[in-house]
Amino acid sequence: MHDETTLIGFATTALAFHGDTELTCDQPLSRVELDALHEHAVALHMLLDRGTVRTRAHEAAEGDQLHNARIRTWQASEHLHAAYHAAPRADGRTPTREACALRLPEGATDLTICQRHVKASRRVRLFTTPTDLIRR
């Protein structure tokens, strides 16, 4: 069995290193970076999801706080997904606000980021109410 805290530490170090190396960059985040950040946010959300389920059975107050963290990471994932679609495409075109409002600025949802987001959103709907997402 591996030590989970060691694996989380490696991931944290890698994210911190990337952030440190990007401090001097004055360009907006690329779609590739937004996709990678979304992947990290969804992975963190799923980790918190499993931790919440495990913890709530034993420690209700701690489980409630993890539930709140799980909701916030999902909200971050939602915003990263939206930022990806609002970012300029490879050809330099930027989706219009109207296209983004329709939530299909690129057409069918065959993109990896969309597939990941839809898959995670199914899990979110199992354990989160619409009220949870609004009032947190």
Side-chain angles (χ1 to χ4, degrees):
M1 185 155 123
H2 53 81
D3 181 5
E4 290 86 2
T5 58
T6 301
L7 296 176
I8 293 170
F10 287 145
T12 302
T13 300
L15 285 172
F17 177 76
H18 180 75
D20 289 344
T21 60
E22 292 297 312
L23 284 178
T24 58
C25 183
D26 64 350
Q27 297 297 313
L29 291 176
S30 70
R31 290 182 130 214
V32 172
E33 290 172 302
L34 290 168
D35 184 34
L37 284 172
H38 181 266
E39 187 173 13
H40 281 288
V42 169
L44 178 59
H45 171 79
M46 298 309 283
L47 181 63
L48 285 168
D49 182 59
R50 289 187 291 277
T52 300
V53 172
R54 284 184 11 216
T55 303
R56 269 192 161 169
H58 305 285
E59 299 291 337
E62 181 184 355
D64 287 346
Q65 293 303 316
L66 288 171
H67 175 73
N68 292 338
R70 174 177 62 183
I71 289 169
R72 293 246 169 40
T73 59
W74 176 249
Q75 291 169 332
S77 298
E78 286 267 306
H79 288 290
L80 287 166
H81 185 242
Y84 175 91
H85 286 298
R89 299 180 182 121
D91 63 6
R93 292 184 307 129
T94 303
T96 64
R97 286 192 180 274
E98 293 77 19
C100 289
L102 293 174
R103 299 182 61 94
L104 292 173
E106 316 220 22
T109 56
D110 59 354
L111 299 169
T112 303
I113 189 171
C114 294
Q115 292 169 346
R116 179 186 322 116
H117 200 72
V118 167
K119 182 179 177 185
S121 69
R122 287 186 199 120
R123 180 84 180 160
V124 169
R125 285 192 296 268
L126 289 175
F127 295 104
T128 310
T129 67
T131 303
D132 284 337
L133 295 171
I134 292 170
R135 65 184 167 118
R136 303 272 180 212

